[in-house]
Amino acid sequence: MKAKIITERVTWMGAVDWNRRLFDSLIPLPEGTSYNAYLLRGSEKTALIDTVDPEKVDLLLAQLADVEQVDYIVSQHSEQDHAGAIPVIMEKYPQAQVLCSEKGRDMLLYHLEMDPERIRVVADDEVLSLGDRSLRFIYTPWVHWPETMCSFCEEEGILFSCDFFGSHLATSTLYADENPQVIIAAKRYYAEIMMPFRSFIKKHLVKLEPVPFTMIAPSHGPIYNKPEFILDAYKDWVSDHVANKVVIPYISMHGSTEAMVTHLVSSLDARSIEVHPFDLTVTDIGELAMALVDAATIVIGTPTVLFGPHPFVFSATHLANALRPKLRFAAIIGSYGWGTKAAEQLTELIPNLKVEVLGTLMCKGLPREEDIANLDALAQNIYEHHQNLD
Ligand code: FEO
C-alpha cells in the first residue's frame, strides 16, 4: 500500500498486515493488523514516528524512496512491531537520530542492539522543534511497556499514540470515523493488551485532557479523526463500573461440567443476568478477554484431570488473573470421578483478582437433584450480589 496524505505535512506510512493471525505467539488477530508509521515534515527537519514490523520493512522503504532526509526517528515504543525496522531506517538515513524515552533507550539497546551514539533520550514534556512544526513528547508508561510515550504535534493537532488507543484491524480505510467495527477491534485490543494497566491508563487519560488534539494517530488500526469516539470508550473501559454480567470459561470432558454450565446459564438468565459461557475447546481467548472487560462475576467450570483442573482451564484462569479485569465476584463449578483438588488449585491461581469467592460446587459424576438446587442457589447468590453494583 502506498503512503497516504493526512495533512500537507503529515503522511501515513507503514503496512497493513492482512494475513497475520497471531501476535506475540498468543493473541489471536481475526482481522489482521497494521503497523502505522507517520512522517512529519517541518520547515527545517523531518521526523519519522515509529516504523513497522521487520517483516514489512520493504514496504516502508518503498514509501520512503523519495524522502531524501529523515532527521529524527521517534521510537515511542520498543516492541519489535514498531521499532524492529528502525535499524534498517537508520542505515538508510545515517544522519538520523533515534529519539526515545529514558527507559526506551535501554530497551532499544538490548532488544535491537542499536548504536548507543545515535540514540537521544527525550524528557517528558520536552518539545522538539522541526522548524514550523514541533513534537511534544508525553510519557505514558505501560501502554503497553514501561517505556512507552506519545508525541503531540501542536501545529497539526495530532496525538501520535503508538499502542495506546490502537486496534488490530487490517483495513484500507485511513480514518475510524465512528465505525462500530473499529470500536470492537479497539475493545479487543484493550482487553488483550491494555487491561492489566488500567490504573495507569486512568492517569494517562487525565494527563492528556489538557492536550488540544483533534486527531489520534495510533500505530495499529485506523486514525481517530473524531477522538471522542475512542476516548469515551476508554473512559468506560477503565472506569470502576461493572455490568450485571457473568462470564463462564469452562471445559467438559464427559458432559458433567457441561450439564452444570448449561443449567447455571439458564438459571442466571432467568434472573435477568447477562451471561457468556465460553467452551475453551473452541473459544478465541480474545473474545473471552473482551467479555471480562466489564463483567462483575466469573464462574470457572472444570472437570478434574489427575486431581487438578483441566489444563485448558488452568491456562485460561492464569490468563484472566494476568489480565486483571475489574471483576468483583468469582465461583468455581465442575466435576470429578473419584477425588479432586481442582477448586483449591484454581483459587490459588487468581491472587490478582480482587474478588469475593461466592462458592465452589464440584459434583461427583453427573449433577444430581441436589447439585441442580445448589446451582440455582449459586445463581441466586450472584443475583443478590449484583443488586448493588455501581
Ligand atoms: Fe504494538 Fe506493544 O506493540
mmCIF file of all heavy atoms in Angstrom, residues 78-103:
data_model
loop_
_atom_site.group_PDB
_atom_site.id
_atom_site.type_symbol
_atom_site.label_atom_id
_atom_site.label_comp_id
_atom_site.label_asym_id
_atom_site.label_seq_id
_atom_site.Cartn_x
_atom_site.Cartn_y
_atom_site.Cartn_z
ATOM 1 N N SER A 78 9.362 0.296 22.160
ATOM 2 C CA SER A 78 10.481 -0.513 21.673
ATOM 3 C C SER A 78 10.081 -1.886 21.154
ATOM 4 O O SER A 78 10.946 -2.631 20.695
ATOM 5 C CB SER A 78 11.492 -0.730 22.807
ATOM 6 O OG SER A 78 11.782 0.483 23.423
ATOM 7 N N GLU A 79 8.818 -2.243 21.261
ATOM 8 C CA GLU A 79 8.444 -3.588 20.797
ATOM 9 C C GLU A 79 8.692 -3.676 19.284
ATOM 10 O O GLU A 79 8.557 -2.697 18.538
ATOM 11 C CB GLU A 79 6.985 -3.909 21.141
ATOM 12 C CG GLU A 79 6.701 -5.393 20.980
ATOM 13 C CD GLU A 79 5.399 -5.853 21.657
ATOM 14 O OE1 GLU A 79 4.599 -5.011 22.106
ATOM 15 O OE2 GLU A 79 5.202 -7.078 21.722
ATOM 16 N N GLN A 80 9.000 -4.896 18.863
ATOM 17 C CA GLN A 80 9.507 -5.102 17.503
ATOM 18 C C GLN A 80 8.529 -4.688 16.415
ATOM 19 O O GLN A 80 8.959 -4.318 15.311
ATOM 20 C CB GLN A 80 9.906 -6.572 17.319
ATOM 21 C CG GLN A 80 11.197 -6.951 18.022
ATOM 22 C CD GLN A 80 11.054 -7.172 19.524
ATOM 23 O OE1 GLN A 80 10.016 -6.917 20.110
ATOM 24 N NE2 GLN A 80 12.123 -7.635 20.163
ATOM 25 N N ASP A 81 7.240 -4.735 16.677
ATOM 26 C CA ASP A 81 6.292 -4.374 15.617
ATOM 27 C C ASP A 81 6.334 -2.888 15.278
ATOM 28 O O ASP A 81 5.810 -2.474 14.242
ATOM 29 C CB ASP A 81 4.862 -4.824 15.967
ATOM 30 C CG ASP A 81 4.401 -4.340 17.325
ATOM 31 O OD1 ASP A 81 5.220 -4.247 18.255
ATOM 32 O OD2 ASP A 81 3.195 -4.069 17.469
ATOM 33 N N HIS A 82 6.983 -2.082 16.132
ATOM 34 C CA HIS A 82 7.132 -0.650 15.839
ATOM 35 C C HIS A 82 8.596 -0.231 15.708
ATOM 36 O O HIS A 82 8.916 0.671 14.945
ATOM 37 C CB HIS A 82 6.476 0.190 16.940
ATOM 38 C CG HIS A 82 5.084 -0.237 17.218
ATOM 39 N ND1 HIS A 82 4.066 -0.072 16.304
ATOM 40 C CD2 HIS A 82 4.529 -0.877 18.278
ATOM 41 C CE1 HIS A 82 2.946 -0.597 16.793
ATOM 42 N NE2 HIS A 82 3.209 -1.083 17.995
ATOM 43 N N ALA A 83 9.441 -0.881 16.467
ATOM 44 C CA ALA A 83 10.853 -0.476 16.479
ATOM 45 C C ALA A 83 11.748 -1.427 15.690
ATOM 46 O O ALA A 83 12.898 -1.101 15.409
ATOM 47 C CB ALA A 83 11.349 -0.389 17.926
ATOM 48 N N GLY A 84 11.218 -2.587 15.338
ATOM 49 C CA GLY A 84 12.067 -3.616 14.736
ATOM 50 C C GLY A 84 12.708 -3.207 13.429
ATOM 51 O O GLY A 84 13.761 -3.744 13.055
ATOM 52 N N ALA A 85 12.095 -2.258 12.719
ATOM 53 C CA ALA A 85 12.671 -1.824 11.436
ATOM 54 C C ALA A 85 13.560 -0.592 11.600
ATOM 55 O O ALA A 85 14.143 -0.126 10.608
ATOM 56 C CB ALA A 85 11.558 -1.538 10.425
ATOM 57 N N ILE A 86 13.691 -0.070 12.801
ATOM 58 C CA ILE A 86 14.494 1.153 12.989
ATOM 59 C C ILE A 86 15.941 0.963 12.511
ATOM 60 O O ILE A 86 16.484 1.845 11.829
ATOM 61 C CB ILE A 86 14.433 1.643 14.464
ATOM 62 C CG1 ILE A 86 13.039 2.195 14.761
ATOM 63 C CG2 ILE A 86 15.486 2.716 14.720
ATOM 64 C CD1 ILE A 86 12.853 2.675 16.194
ATOM 65 N N PRO A 87 16.596 -0.168 12.821
ATOM 66 C CA PRO A 87 17.982 -0.303 12.354
ATOM 67 C C PRO A 87 18.122 -0.165 10.834
ATOM 68 O O PRO A 87 19.090 0.436 10.351
ATOM 69 C CB PRO A 87 18.378 -1.710 12.829
ATOM 70 C CG PRO A 87 17.534 -1.935 14.049
ATOM 71 C CD PRO A 87 16.211 -1.286 13.725
ATOM 72 N N VAL A 88 17.165 -0.676 10.081
ATOM 73 C CA VAL A 88 17.227 -0.546 8.622
ATOM 74 C C VAL A 88 17.037 0.921 8.208
ATOM 75 O O VAL A 88 17.735 1.431 7.319
ATOM 76 C CB VAL A 88 16.149 -1.447 7.958
ATOM 77 C CG1 VAL A 88 16.149 -1.273 6.443
ATOM 78 C CG2 VAL A 88 16.378 -2.897 8.334
ATOM 79 N N ILE A 89 16.130 1.598 8.878
ATOM 80 C CA ILE A 89 15.887 3.019 8.553
ATOM 81 C C ILE A 89 17.117 3.850 8.964
ATOM 82 O O ILE A 89 17.477 4.823 8.291
ATOM 83 C CB ILE A 89 14.602 3.524 9.271
ATOM 84 C CG1 ILE A 89 13.411 2.633 8.895
ATOM 85 C CG2 ILE A 89 14.322 4.980 8.909
ATOM 86 C CD1 ILE A 89 13.105 2.535 7.416
ATOM 87 N N MET A 90 17.766 3.453 10.037
ATOM 88 C CA MET A 90 18.996 4.164 10.447
ATOM 89 C C MET A 90 20.085 4.021 9.376
ATOM 90 O O MET A 90 20.866 4.938 9.146
ATOM 91 C CB MET A 90 19.512 3.599 11.778
ATOM 92 C CG MET A 90 18.659 3.993 12.974
ATOM 93 S SD MET A 90 19.094 3.030 14.452
ATOM 94 C CE MET A 90 20.572 3.870 14.997
ATOM 95 N N GLU A 91 20.123 2.867 8.756
ATOM 96 C CA GLU A 91 21.113 2.666 7.675
ATOM 97 C C GLU A 91 20.795 3.554 6.490
ATOM 98 O O GLU A 91 21.679 4.131 5.866
ATOM 99 C CB GLU A 91 21.086 1.207 7.212
ATOM 100 C CG GLU A 91 22.053 0.324 7.954
ATOM 101 C CD GLU A 91 22.045 -1.096 7.404
ATOM 102 O OE1 GLU A 91 22.053 -1.283 6.172
ATOM 103 O OE2 GLU A 91 22.010 -2.016 8.240
ATOM 104 N N LYS A 92 19.514 3.652 6.175
ATOM 105 C CA LYS A 92 19.121 4.492 5.024
ATOM 106 C C LYS A 92 19.411 5.968 5.297
ATOM 107 O O LYS A 92 19.781 6.707 4.387
ATOM 108 C CB LYS A 92 17.626 4.277 4.714
ATOM 109 C CG LYS A 92 17.109 5.156 3.562
ATOM 110 C CD LYS A 92 15.682 4.799 3.175
ATOM 111 C CE LYS A 92 15.062 5.818 2.224
ATOM 112 N NZ LYS A 92 15.748 5.956 0.938
ATOM 113 N N TYR A 93 19.220 6.385 6.546
ATOM 114 C CA TYR A 93 19.442 7.797 6.901
ATOM 115 C C TYR A 93 20.541 7.854 7.977
ATOM 116 O O TYR A 93 20.250 7.928 9.182
ATOM 117 C CB TYR A 93 18.145 8.427 7.422
ATOM 118 C CG TYR A 93 17.023 8.389 6.416
ATOM 119 C CD1 TYR A 93 15.965 7.501 6.566
ATOM 120 C CD2 TYR A 93 17.037 9.237 5.302
ATOM 121 C CE1 TYR A 93 14.937 7.450 5.644
ATOM 122 C CE2 TYR A 93 16.003 9.189 4.359
ATOM 123 C CZ TYR A 93 14.962 8.296 4.536
ATOM 124 O OH TYR A 93 13.957 8.252 3.604
ATOM 125 N N PRO A 94 21.802 7.823 7.566
ATOM 126 C CA PRO A 94 22.892 7.706 8.551
ATOM 127 C C PRO A 94 23.029 8.915 9.471
ATOM 128 O O PRO A 94 23.689 8.822 10.509
ATOM 129 C CB PRO A 94 24.146 7.523 7.682
ATOM 130 C CG PRO A 94 23.736 7.767 6.277
ATOM 131 C CD PRO A 94 22.255 7.720 6.179
ATOM 132 N N GLN A 95 22.387 10.035 9.122
ATOM 133 C CA GLN A 95 22.445 11.207 9.998
ATOM 134 C C GLN A 95 21.303 11.240 11.014
ATOM 135 O O GLN A 95 21.292 12.091 11.913
ATOM 136 C CB GLN A 95 22.374 12.512 9.173
ATOM 137 C CG GLN A 95 23.416 12.611 8.066
ATOM 138 C CD GLN A 95 24.840 12.450 8.599
ATOM 139 O OE1 GLN A 95 25.176 12.990 9.646
ATOM 140 N NE2 GLN A 95 25.655 11.690 7.890
ATOM 141 N N ALA A 96 20.352 10.347 10.841
ATOM 142 C CA ALA A 96 19.153 10.417 11.693
ATOM 143 C C ALA A 96 19.461 10.014 13.131
ATOM 144 O O ALA A 96 20.211 9.069 13.372
ATOM 145 C CB ALA A 96 18.062 9.513 11.128
ATOM 146 N N GLN A 97 18.859 10.747 14.056
ATOM 147 C CA GLN A 97 18.950 10.412 15.478
ATOM 148 C C GLN A 97 17.689 9.659 15.883
ATOM 149 O O GLN A 97 16.586 9.997 15.419
ATOM 150 C CB GLN A 97 18.982 11.690 16.308
ATOM 151 C CG GLN A 97 20.345 12.111 16.766
ATOM 152 C CD GLN A 97 20.228 13.247 17.773
ATOM 153 O OE1 GLN A 97 19.308 14.046 17.741
ATOM 154 N NE2 GLN A 97 21.197 13.311 18.659
ATOM 155 N N VAL A 98 17.853 8.694 16.758
ATOM 156 C CA VAL A 98 16.686 7.985 17.303
ATOM 157 C C VAL A 98 16.319 8.654 18.628
ATOM 158 O O VAL A 98 17.173 8.807 19.508
ATOM 159 C CB VAL A 98 16.991 6.489 17.525
ATOM 160 C CG1 VAL A 98 15.797 5.788 18.178
ATOM 161 C CG2 VAL A 98 17.343 5.821 16.197
ATOM 162 N N LEU A 99 15.065 9.060 18.753
ATOM 163 C CA LEU A 99 14.592 9.705 19.975
ATOM 164 C C LEU A 99 13.659 8.746 20.716
ATOM 165 O O LEU A 99 12.789 8.124 20.112
ATOM 166 C CB LEU A 99 13.822 10.986 19.640
ATOM 167 C CG LEU A 99 14.540 11.992 18.725
ATOM 168 C CD1 LEU A 99 13.652 13.219 18.512
ATOM 169 C CD2 LEU A 99 15.885 12.406 19.319
ATOM 170 N N CYS A 100 13.860 8.658 22.022
ATOM 171 C CA CYS A 100 13.018 7.739 22.804
ATOM 172 C C CYS A 100 12.993 8.209 24.250
ATOM 173 O O CYS A 100 13.717 9.136 24.632
ATOM 174 C CB CYS A 100 13.566 6.314 22.725
ATOM 175 S SG CYS A 100 15.222 6.156 23.404
ATOM 176 N N SER A 101 12.169 7.555 25.048
ATOM 177 C CA SER A 101 12.100 7.878 26.475
ATOM 178 C C SER A 101 13.339 7.310 27.180
ATOM 179 O O SER A 101 14.107 6.533 26.597
ATOM 180 C CB SER A 101 10.831 7.284 27.089
ATOM 181 O OG SER A 101 10.952 5.871 27.116
ATOM 182 N N GLU A 102 13.477 7.672 28.437
ATOM 183 C CA GLU A 102 14.646 7.217 29.189
ATOM 184 C C GLU A 102 14.707 5.686 29.250
ATOM 185 O O GLU A 102 15.757 5.083 28.992
ATOM 186 C CB GLU A 102 14.533 7.797 30.600
ATOM 187 C CG GLU A 102 15.830 7.845 31.325
ATOM 188 C CD GLU A 102 15.683 8.616 32.631
ATOM 189 O OE1 GLU A 102 14.867 9.555 32.698
ATOM 190 O OE2 GLU A 102 16.382 8.242 33.576
ATOM 191 N N LYS A 103 13.561 5.061 29.536
ATOM 192 C CA LYS A 103 13.554 3.594 29.595
ATOM 193 C C LYS A 103 13.634 2.986 28.192
ATOM 194 O O LYS A 103 14.099 1.863 28.030
ATOM 195 C CB LYS A 103 12.301 3.097 30.308
ATOM 196 C CG LYS A 103 12.363 3.350 31.804
ATOM 197 C CD LYS A 103 11.248 2.693 32.557
ATOM 198 C CE LYS A 103 11.511 2.848 34.047
ATOM 199 N NZ LYS A 103 10.332 2.820 34.856
#
